[in-house]
Amino acid sequence: MKVCIAEKPSVARDIAEVIGAKQRKDGYYEGNGFQVTWTFGHFCTLKEPHDYYEQWKFWRLEDLPMIPSSFGIKLIENNGVQKQFQIIETLVKQCEEVINCGDAGQEGELIQRWVLLKAKCTAPVKRLWISSLTTEAIKDGFQQLKPAEQYNNLYAAGSARAIGDWLLGMNATRLFTKKFAQGKVVLSIGRVQTPTLAMIVQRQKEINAFVSEDYWELKTIYRETEFTAAIDRLKNPEKAAKGLAYLKEHPFEITSFEKKDGKEGNPRLFDLTGLQVEANKKFAFTADDTLKYIQNLYEKKLVTYPRVDTTYLSEYLHPKIAGILQDMTPYAALTAPLLTQPIPKLKTVFDDKKVTDHHAIIPTGMHPGGLPLEEKRIYDLVARRFIAAFYPECKISNTTVLGKVGQVPFKATGKQILEPGWKEVYANDVKEKKEGEEEEKILPLFEPGESGPHTPRIHQGKTTPPKAFTEATLLRAMETAGKQVDDEEMRELLKDNGIGRPSTRANIIETLFKRKYIEKRKKNIYATQTGMDLIDTIQSELLKSAELTGQWERKLRLIEKGEYASDTFKDELIQMVVDLTKEVKTASYKTITIAPEAPPAPEKPVKEKAKKAPKQPVVVEEIQCPKCKAHPLKKGNTAWGCGNFNQCGFKVPFIIAGKKISDKQLTDLITKGKTGKIKGLEIPGSAAKEGKLVLQPDYNIGIE
């Protein structure tokens, strides 16, 4: 018997269906020579300090630094985890081969390896490595199973990352808390979260220190075109008034007229960070929410693996592109022009050297029916970006006109779109003007040497402070270790030195919010006083420098490639922790201010929410069937069921265990996997009980 271990029940069910393990057992599926079981996220974790030594249970400066001679793992203390682990342990001991079907990334590798380590697995292990959960991808994956040893470096990098985070997080958090905090306050320090906070604090200080200044510019209108003086901004109104008087004495003369045709390159395919940035700009989605939505789309087989940091596709995918575009029927009007000729093998799209474990996020071609609005929006971003990548480039014309009034030079620029190319894919979008970007403006033809009257004026403006981070700009700053980069090629080169990984950055930002080190006002992110005090207290540049943390990140990537020893990485981190502890223990005392609790929400919005609540039952008709994920629910005579019930078979009776199920309970059951507590459930052989209805992995309804 071969045992397959997936990362969650829904993926196990998909795999079991494809490989013919259709018999449902307690905690696994069986059939056709396979047993398919699952984890649900992390089952194991690194041991806590008190698991090594009893005295490490207490937070004391004299016990720091805590450096175990070797690191061990333990099972998470959770009844569900422990029950499922026992099932995995039993299956693994009896099998002839294990197939690791975990999430195809560093975190997924770590989760599964730790489980197999804890289960004392001695059977040979193979690895299923797939980029989507479609039936075709799973079948292909099982035909090309890889030896587990091929992913040893990936596991080594994941393990080194976890140990590094433990060493720094456990020691630095206790160190700064005991040295600088008051009362029961915990000052959380992390390898990635602290430099991220430092970037926000630095920006905050620049904004706080900024003093706005007035400035004056000379402008003039000649032949209905506005020109701006190509000189430094004037610092006082007297100089501006003198300049205006001078301009009125002289005619305007054209000195140069230049028109150049150019191209605007197609937008790159999405990596996870790029998608999170775009979703934040367009819909104000948080990075964390975008990750959840794209993960859901992946599990619904609509997009490829999302936790990626490349914007390229493998060259072997080129022949499949036309088929995917053909299957994207909701976008037929946009794909039709592409399908009239062969798909070009563009170097900006296909490059094996830029792809490691996975390629950029693209649609699988499966029909996206019945999606919640948020997932629909994310899918649309991915779909349009995929289509736009293969459209012709956008052809533009840039015009630069130089002139002078007496001895004062003037300049005007214009831009005209000659052929929209890929911009046709976004024809209905509201154009968001980027800072410094030229608006589309058609200038008349000018002849060098021509001259005539003009209408000069003074424009008064104010200098503006640096912009606060949004989640979009913060994600980009994390990706490039704080360097401001707009060029796509340069961004690709800096990714190896970015801080955090695409899959963890959202969680880091959420942690900073939870710790009250940062706060959000509208779309902007600001540091709280606690966050600012914490960064001011940390003297060690290693802890708060995005660039230095980026170098640690690069070493982890080198471990993944087999080009750096994980033991060396651990030794360097141990040395850093030892040095940091010495430095902080002798540092001068500084009190950390605690951010005040957020004020209670005003009553009015609460009342408005309460008024909206009765609309909720209407949504039931729009809820997607959780089993086939292709049809909305439909009301029958005795039950709610899948709109395609004859094929799918999913249903929820109106009455379960003697209780009529409300629309709210049904909605919770489908969307959250369980209802709230229900009193008086009639269970055969016992008195009426209070309990919750639970949607089981086989889509039957159970009672908890």
Side-chain angles (χ1 to χ4, degrees):
M1 192 71 75
K2 295 180 180 180
V3 171
C4 305
I5 309 175
E7 77 262 26
K8 58 174 67 176
S10 60
V11 176
R13 188 182 59 253
D14 289 341
I15 290 171
E17 188 69 29
V18 172
I19 63 175
K22 299 190 179 182
Q23 196 178 348
R24 181 76 166 86
K25 301 275 187 173
D26 184 18
Y28 64 100
Y29 297 91
E30 186 172 291
N32 199 26
F34 292 99
Q35 291 168 325
V36 184
T37 186
W38 56 83
T39 58
F40 20 89
H42 281 275
F43 267 25
C44 297
T45 183
L46 287 173
K47 286 181 176 177
E48 292 173 76
H50 62 263
D51 294 319
Y52 296 103
Y53 300 104
E54 181 63 28
Q55 69 265 32
W56 283 0
K57 189 174 187 176
F58 309 100
W59 289 39
R60 295 186 300 217
L61 275 175
E62 56 266 33
D63 290 331
L64 301 178
M66 302 177 293
I67 300 168
S69 53
S70 64
F71 285 85
I73 56 169
K74 67 175 185 177
L75 210 56
I76 285 170
E77 290 173 15
N78 173 289
N79 291 340
V81 165
Q82 288 171 351
K83 183 189 173 193
Q84 186 64 17
F85 176 76
Q86 283 169 2
I87 291 166
I88 294 171
E89 192 176 31
T90 303
L91 295 177
V92 163
K93 280 177 182 169
Q94 298 167 354
C95 74
E96 63 187 61
E97 182 179 276
V98 171
I99 301 171
N100 175 355
C101 305
D103 203 15
Q106 191 187 96
E107 197 73 3
E109 190 68 19
L110 188 67
I111 287 170
Q112 302 289 59
R113 292 276 191 127
W114 276 358
V115 166
L116 292 173
L117 195 64
K118 192 70 184 164
K120 297 185 174 69
C121 174
T122 54
V125 182
K126 293 274 178 67
R127 185 60 158 107
L128 174 72
W129 195 269
I130 52 179
S131 284
S132 84
L133 291 171
T134 60
T135 300
E136 183 191 1
I138 292 170
K139 277 182 181 171
D140 287 350
F142 269 88
Q143 284 167 7
Q144 301 172 51
L145 292 172
K146 308 281 195 294
E149 295 73 31
Q150 201 169 311
Y151 298 92
N152 282 352
N153 289 333
L154 189 67
Y155 169 59
S159 180
R161 179 184 295 278
I163 289 169
D165 287 343
W166 191 101
L167 277 167
L168 198 60
M170 290 288 185
N171 282 291
T173 296
R174 291 188 179 199
L175 186 61
F176 280 83
T177 298
K178 294 310 292 178
K179 182 76 180 179
F180 301 112
Q182 287 185 316
K184 294 183 178 179
V185 175
V186 172
L187 298 177
S188 175
I189 307 283
R191 188 179 56 84
V192 180
Q193 78 173 46
T194 303
T196 303
L197 175 60
M199 287 195 293
I200 299 167
V201 167
Q202 179 60 33
R203 180 68 56 87
Q204 182 82 50
K205 287 182 174 178
E206 289 167 9
I207 293 168
N208 292 351
F210 182 82
V211 178
S212 182
E213 293 177 356
D214 290 325
Y215 66 85
W216 290 262
E217 284 181 320
L218 298 174
K219 291 181 181 278
T220 191
I221 292 174
Y222 171 70
R223 283 182 53 192
E224 298 180 353
T225 301
E226 185 173 72
F227 289 77
T228 301
I231 57 173
D232 290 339
R233 286 171 170 174
L234 303 171
K235 296 292 171 74
N236 62 63
E238 290 79 18
K239 275 191 179 178
K242 280 182 186 174
L244 182 63
Y246 177 82
L247 296 180
K248 286 178 177 176
E249 293 172 8
H250 300 275
F252 191 95
E253 182 186 343
I254 297 292
T255 56
S256 166
F257 179 81
E258 191 179 55
K259 199 169 187 176
K260 276 187 180 175
D261 287 350
K263 291 176 180 177
E264 278 191 28
N266 302 44
R268 295 295 177 98
L269 294 173
F270 281 126
D271 58 6
L272 178 59
T273 304
L275 180 64
Q276 288 169 319
V277 166
E278 194 70 9
N280 183 256
K281 282 183 186 170
K282 283 199 169 175
F283 310 121
F285 289 170
T286 67
D288 198 40
D289 283 342
T290 299
L291 178 55
K292 284 175 195 162
Y293 301 144
I294 193 70
Q295 183 69 23
N296 288 346
L297 291 170
Y298 169 63
E299 288 170 23
K300 289 173 183 176
K301 311 178 188 182
L302 297 173
V303 300
T304 56
Y305 184 72
R307 295 164 186 259
V308 297
D309 60 357
T310 181
T311 58
Y312 291 86
L313 298 180
S314 303
E315 289 164 32
Y316 82 86
L317 282 170
H318 178 251
K320 299 182 179 184
I321 300 301
I324 296 170
L325 290 166
Q326 185 85 52
D327 290 339
M328 293 171 68
T329 48
Y331 297 88
L334 293 173
T335 59
L338 295 177
L339 296 168
T340 58
Q341 52 202 354
I343 300 297
K345 197 170 185 179
L346 304 163
K347 202 66 186 161
T348 52
V349 177
F350 301 96
D351 190 343
D352 283 345
K353 290 175 187 169
K354 304 281 176 72
V355 178
T356 49
D357 302 331
H358 293 283
H359 53 71
I361 307 167
I362 61 171
T364 60
M366 291 188 70
H367 191 276
L371 294 176
L373 177 62
E374 293 84 0
E375 288 177 23
K376 200 179 287 183
R377 283 175 164 176
I378 295 295
Y379 181 82
D380 187 66
L381 287 180
V382 174
R384 286 180 189 272
R385 184 62 68 95
F386 177 63
I387 295 165
F390 299 103
Y391 260 66
E393 288 181 307
C394 169
K395 292 184 179 175
I396 57 170
S397 171
N398 288 313
T399 307
T400 304
V401 188
L402 303 180
K404 65 177 183 177
V405 177
Q407 296 302 309
V408 181
F410 279 83
K411 182 179 179 181
T413 57
K415 174 178 148 185
Q416 183 183 359
I417 293 177
L418 305 175
E419 291 177 25
W422 61 265
K423 290 199 172 185
E424 283 182 30
V425 178
Y426 301 98
N428 297 327
D429 279 17
V430 177
K431 180 78 175 80
E432 194 177 296
K433 187 178 179 294
K434 290 179 188 170
E435 199 174 354
E437 188 180 50
E438 196 62 50
E439 285 183 42
E440 193 180 348
K441 185 169 68 177
I442 303 170
L443 298 182
L445 290 170
F446 293 97
E447 287 291 333
E450 71 170 87
S451 181
H454 60 107
T455 312
R457 70 181 180 90
I458 295 170
H459 165 75
Q460 185 180 350
K462 277 182 179 291
T463 56
T464 55
K467 287 195 166 149
F469 279 115
T470 62
E471 283 211 25
T473 55
L474 182 58
L475 283 165
R476 283 297 188 209
M478 292 173 80
E479 182 183 58
T480 57
K483 293 184 174 69
Q484 297 300 310
V485 180
D486 290 323
D487 180 69
E488 288 285 355
E489 286 293 330
M490 184 56 70
R491 190 178 283 153
E492 285 290 327
L493 292 172
L494 286 171
K495 278 182 179 178
D496 274 3
N497 284 48
I499 60 173
R501 290 180 72 82
S503 54
T504 60
R505 287 176 192 140
N507 186 253
I508 294 294
I509 296 169
E510 288 303 309
T511 299
L512 291 173
F513 279 122
K514 282 174 191 163
R515 295 280 182 192
K516 292 193 172 66
Y517 296 159
I518 61 174
E519 61 187 6
K520 194 180 282 184
R521 297 178 217 152
K522 294 185 179 174
K523 280 179 78 171
N524 292 336
I525 294 171
Y526 296 92
T528 63
Q529 192 60 49
T530 305
M532 293 184 78
D533 284 352
L534 179 57
I535 293 302
D536 286 345
T537 302
I538 299 169
Q539 298 304 307
S540 169
E541 277 304 306
L542 268 173
L543 265 187
K544 58 184 181 180
S545 162
E547 206 163 326
L548 290 168
T549 305
Q551 289 170 20
W552 292 109
E553 204 67 44
R554 184 169 172 275
K555 287 174 182 176
L556 284 164
R557 288 173 186 270
L558 291 174
I559 293 169
E560 209 171 286
K561 294 173 186 173
E563 296 169 13
Y564 201 79
S566 58
D567 284 345
T568 306
F569 178 80
K570 287 175 205 167
D571 290 343
E572 287 171 348
L573 262 175
I574 287 168
Q575 190 56 52
M576 175 187 165
V577 167
V578 169
D579 294 344
L580 180 70
T581 306
K582 281 181 190 170
E583 183 186 312
V584 173
K585 278 184 176 181
T586 56
S588 58
Y589 180 85
K590 185 182 187 306
T591 307
I592 302 288
T593 310
I594 303 308
E597 288 291 323
E603 284 184 29
K604 197 173 178 184
V606 176
K607 284 181 182 174
E608 284 174 4
K609 281 181 186 172
K611 285 177 188 172
K612 289 178 186 174
K615 292 182 183 176
Q616 201 170 359
V618 181
V619 182
V620 174
E621 301 278 359
E622 297 169 16
I623 293 176
Q624 196 179 28
C625 169
K627 187 175 180 183
C628 69
K629 299 182 177 66
H631 299 274
L633 294 184
K634 197 172 177 183
K635 197 170 188 177
N637 294 327
T638 60
W640 285 94
C642 176
N644 188 25
F645 179 76
N646 291 339
Q647 293 295 317
C648 171
F650 176 75
K651 69 174 180 179
V652 181
F654 294 154
I655 297 172
I656 301 175
K659 297 293 286 185
K660 188 176 180 185
I661 306 307
S662 70
D663 287 354
K664 169 77 168 71
Q665 288 164 340
L666 174 70
T667 304
D668 287 347
L669 183 65
I670 305 298
T671 59
K672 298 177 182 175
K674 62 171 69 177
T675 66
K677 285 182 180 175
I678 302 172
K679 290 181 180 177
L681 291 171
E682 295 171 5
I683 299 163
S686 68
K689 289 186 177 178
E690 180 179 83
K692 297 178 182 180
L693 301 182
V694 180
L695 187 63
Q696 295 176 329
D698 60 358
Y699 296 102
N700 286 320
I701 313 301
I703 297 174
E704 189 180 89

